[in-house]
Amino acid sequence: AHSHIRGLGLDDKLESRPNSQGMVGQLKARKAAGVIVKVIKQGKISGRAIMMAGAPGTGKTAIAMAMSQELGDVPFTSIAASEVFSLEVSKTESLTQAFRRSIGVRIKEESEVIEGEVVEIQIDRSVTGVGPKTGKLTLKTTDMETIYDLGQKMITSLTKEKVMAGDVIQIDKTTGRITRLGRSFTRARDFDATGPDVKFVQCPDGELQTRKEIVHLVSLHEIDVINSRQQGFLA
């Protein structure tokens, strides 16, 4: 319901803009939330709770979501009273899970990635429509250009991420995960208008295949779920 919110919509002086970053109205409350976010970033209010009171539909959850967005890459957990008073799970267990969903752990690892600008995607389908799809992906940097053969899984991933010519993408060689980094500046004039979520980035330079430090953000609850299985990676 609040997926459109990207921040509190404040200027550099913490004054609320009438309509910004998906937030409208509640100017005083947003300014107060901005002050709290600034204090949190300075490390002066850790371990404390904030209580927001108001009638239904006045924007309490929206402001909480906006505060989470302002703090950066941190988990946001929303729970309802009915979940806490569920008959299946005890109140302590329900609240413990909510807290652990809200605590994130950054895991750093070095991985081999292919990073470049998409020049062309060519997908070949059989005449009968039966059988796996095949294709070719042309990637380039400022220094080189290479054509890669695509299998069924990579074609599905490219389709899912809605990758098209002009996008700058990153492919993890270990997992095959595709990440859309943005749109190349060289294609900035392809369309007369673009949405607010479109990010323009420079075409990478150097080799297509490089080693990069990748940071994964996982919550403590996700680690609990993995370890509860028979073969947990921390077991």
Side-chain angles (χ1 to χ4, degrees), residues 89-139:
V89 183
S90 68
K91 301 180 187 67
T92 305
E93 179 65 23
S94 177
L95 290 172
T96 301
Q97 284 187 10
F99 279 122
R100 292 182 74 80
R101 278 197 209 102
S102 306
I103 300 172
V105 179
R106 287 185 176 88
I107 300 174
K108 296 181 180 179
E109 65 172 353
E110 267 204 358
S111 181
E112 282 195 5
V113 297
I114 298 170
E115 191 175 300
E117 180 185 333
V118 178
V119 178
E120 184 185 12
I121 302 173
Q122 182 184 343
I123 298 173
D124 300 321
R125 297 175 176 86
S126 62
V127 179
T128 59
V130 180
K133 299 175 186 175
T134 58
K136 294 183 183 298
L137 171 67
T138 308
L139 287 177

Side-chain angles (χ1 to χ4, degrees), residues 150-181:
L150 296 175
Q152 180 68 42
K153 287 185 178 179
M154 289 298 292
I155 291 172
T156 304
S157 297
L158 288 168
T159 307
K160 185 180 177 183
E161 290 293 325
K162 298 179 181 177
V163 175
M164 56 190 292
D167 288 342
V168 177
I169 64 171
Q170 185 182 88
I171 304 172
D172 190 329
K173 283 194 70 179
T174 307
T175 61
R177 185 168 176 262
I178 297 173
T179 306
R180 229 167 132 251
L181 302 177

